[in-house]
Amino acid sequence: MAEYRIDELARLADTTVRNVRVYQDRGLLAPPRRQGRVGIYSEAHLARLRLIGQLLRRGYTFANIGEMFQVWERGGDLSEILGFESAIGDAWSDEIADYITLGDLRELFGKGVTPRTIKRSLDLGVLERDGLRFRVPSPRLLHAGGELVRLGMSVDSVLDIAENLRDKVGHVAEHMVRLVADHIIAEHTPGTVVQSEETAEIAELVRRVRPLAQQAVDAVLAQAMAEHLNDVMGEHFAQAMEHLRGEKDLQRGAGGPPPP
């Protein structure tokens, strides 16, 4: 099981060291294991911290969250509760955010790095400001963009792709999650807080849905890419044939031999 110091824990959970300490003081987050003078946090702490952040962003207060945690823990098995929090709060990707400087960006994207493209990247969430550097939530996405630029695309075109993906895939993900919640989770806990005896079952359902959702998106994306690639290449070759036909007509009109 992974272990973290408080600064790394806060970074992975997209929060601050100060917030981690506040949640501990409020009883929402268990204290760390002590190793000398250093506090060591576990994956269970990270899952709880991510869940707290999600609930706070939804507008719930510390009191609301604390009350819900008490309902879960009342007579419940601790391992099942932690498993439920992990299933809900864990990131769906194994990516770890990275940090990059302006010089690194220019090396990766060349002259396409301008104040305007940086602002657009920040607006899209591809980059996040962190003092004099930038936090990169998804290094894979950033380096995929860099590879596309090396292949000849402009930075603006790459950002167009990122914006379109965020918009379209975001709507698909929201629709999928709501359907799962309506047809699977709501059947087990209709209109009530999840009870301790239900946590293990719902955690297992969520864990089973995760890879199924990703497989479905991958499969549909692959099919759609193949179809559209055929269409685009067909249009390209049709235009090329028209161009060749035009050249042959010009050659015939000039009395010269047609091109081979």
Side-chain angles (χ1 to χ4, degrees), residues 4 6 44-45 74 107 119 123 143 185 201 229 250:
Y4 315 99
I6 191 170
H45 287 99
R74 194 175 299 134
E107 184 176 344
K119 181 181 183 303
D123 292 341
H143 288 286
I185 297 177
E201 185 177 1
L229 181 60
L250 286 175

Side-chain angles (χ1 to χ4, degrees), residues 30 34 169 256:
R34 305 305 302 187
V169 176

Side-chain angles (χ1 to χ4, degrees), residues 19 24 71 115-116 123 164 193 207 213:
N19 283 343
Q24 286 178 198
V71 170
R116 182 180 58 79
D123 292 341
N164 194 40
V193 175
R207 291 187 190 282

Side-chain angles (χ1 to χ4, degrees), residues 78-108:
L78 181 59
S79 64
E80 292 183 351
I81 294 166
L82 294 177
F84 175 76
E85 292 182 11
S86 177
I88 300 297
D90 278 0
W92 280 45
S93 170
D94 59 359
E95 273 195 289
I96 297 177
D98 200 359
Y99 293 85
I100 195 169
T101 66
L102 182 59
D104 295 331
L105 281 174
R106 286 176 174 155
E107 184 176 344
L108 191 59

Side-chain angles (χ1 to χ4, degrees), residues 2-17 20-21 24 29-30 32 39-50:
E3 295 183 336
Y4 315 99
R5 297 194 177 200
I6 191 170
D7 54 343
E8 186 180 11
L9 180 79
R11 179 172 64 84
L12 290 171
D14 286 327
T15 188
T16 64
V17 169
V20 173
R21 293 191 171 120
Q24 286 178 198
L29 188 69
I40 303 297
Y41 296 83
S42 68
E43 292 176 340
H45 287 99
L46 179 58
R48 170 68 67 100
L49 194 55
R50 283 173 169 159

Side-chain angles (χ1 to χ4, degrees), residues 169-180:
V169 176
H171 286 305
V172 170
E174 181 182 8
H175 182 253
M176 189 178 298
V177 168
R178 291 192 182 280
L179 285 177
V180 169

Side-chain angles (χ1 to χ4, degrees), residues 103-122:
D104 295 331
L105 281 174
R106 286 176 174 155
E107 184 176 344
L108 191 59
F109 293 98
K111 295 180 181 179
V113 177
T114 66
R116 182 180 58 79
T117 56
I118 288 177
K119 181 181 183 303
R120 191 177 175 196
S121 299
L122 292 168

